[in-house]
Amino acid sequence: MKTMGQSVTIDPAASMSRESARRDIATTIHPYTNLKQHEVEGPMVITQGEGVFVRDENGKTYLEGMAGLWCASLGFSERRLAEAAYRQMLKLPMYHTFLQKATDVGIDLAEKLLSFAPAGMSKVFFVNSGSEANDTAVKLVTYYNNATGRTRKKKIISRAKAYHGVTVAAASLTGLPNNHRGFDLPIAGILHVECPHYYRFGAPGETEEAFATRMANSLEQRILAEGPETVAALIAEPLMGAAGVILPPACYWEKVQSVLERYDVMLIADEVICGFGRTGEMWGSTAFGLRPDMITCAKALSSGYLPIGAVMVSQEIYDALLKESGKTGVFSHGFTYSGHPVPSAVALESLKIYEERDILSHVRRIAPRMQSGLRRFATHPLVGEVRGIGLVGAIELVADKETKASFDVVAGVGAFLISRGHYHGLILRAMGDSIAFCPPLIITEDEIDLMLDRFGLALEDTLTMAQQRGLVAPD
Ligand SMILES: Cc1ncc(COP(=O)(O)O)c(C=O)c1O
């Protein structure tokens, strides 16, 4: 495994059999997968990881340019996290936090997490995933407004293309049509406003700031149309990850927050991707100037090693929970595994590592290598927009640079690039034709260069394919 970075060869010792594929197809329903295609092609079976690399069952290695699912910040072989889990398993492998129970490790984690949190966060509620965090946030908003006697103030605004998860409320907050279609979502009381992507939705001649003003005005109009007394909160990712890494346009957050404040609408920051250093700041909220009332986080909280998430709230919100729960004598919300000691121990160790290794300084030091490297592709004939901050970015592929025309969805251009990336030993992710980059935060400059070199090969293969199929004009 020591040479994972260099090697993309087949390990002869590894089984070449696709027996694993047959067994997987026979047994498992895969998330976010074309189920029909999966029955024909089977899975890529990953069996090992080291640093920023993973290895498949055939011994081929891949640079994991997405940190798994935007989460393995400390890479795929951090022994301290494995040891923290093991120690905790031996000491107290399970306990819960219902009925006034706590664990020592849970208390340590809550204190540590709040010490990382932006100003104004006072209490934390633990969950197991980003979706659960956002579902919990929706329930807390309702509970808060019942406590404060504003019983009509319950609607939550989200944004088109936002990603907030897949449980019933979180999927409703998600602004992607495929998450609603076939599932009879969104549920009542959840609204969507426009996606603030300047490159795609800015009007001809409109400046970025004027676009941000238009977005904020449109939010205000929507609040007024619904009735401010019925609108409780806006939920938003500081930058929109699964939408294709869309950065807020200049002055957007300043303008949006002044609208929210005008109508007493709460801001929930979904920090599930941005949290814990991804942008070069500990929080996306800090990077982009958000002043949230509530924060949801997950993923890098444990470097993705075990499932854990959290909702942090202000003292004002906590006081309302205290009051409302007094009516029944109990705060009737919680998961069996809220604050489970083993993921808590791993999360605590992750936060200690971020601090001890000064992960923020590392990200700030090497992010320019990735951001400038990505921007070198801006002149490529297939590249419409290059965007990013810190160690997260995206390249949007287009059929025509001048008109910004997208490829026909059925052409599957983004998916083709991803498969060529696999061939060249690189795992990335396509959101439509936007190719996302979100490597482990421990990546080195040499590994960034390797990631971009391999991406360059996949991009050239994609151009050749697009030319051969007449999807772009020939040279
Ligand atoms: C911003 C954001 N929120 C919420 C979620 C949902 O998290 P989970 O998949 O852990 O439920 C995700 C997952 O990618 C996310 O990117």
Side-chain angles (χ1 to χ4, degrees), residues 32 69-70 128-134 162-167 170 174 237 239-242 270-274 296 298-299 308 429:
Y32 285 102
L69 286 175
W70 327 77
N128 306 291
S129 68
S131 299
E132 283 184 10
N134 288 328
Y163 192 78
H164 298 295
V166 294
T167 46
T174 290
E237 305 155 80
L239 70 73
M240 302 177 77
D270 178 341
E271 293 271 6
V272 171
I273 286 180
C274 291
T296 58
K299 297 194 188 277
I308 183 165
R429 176 144 174 216

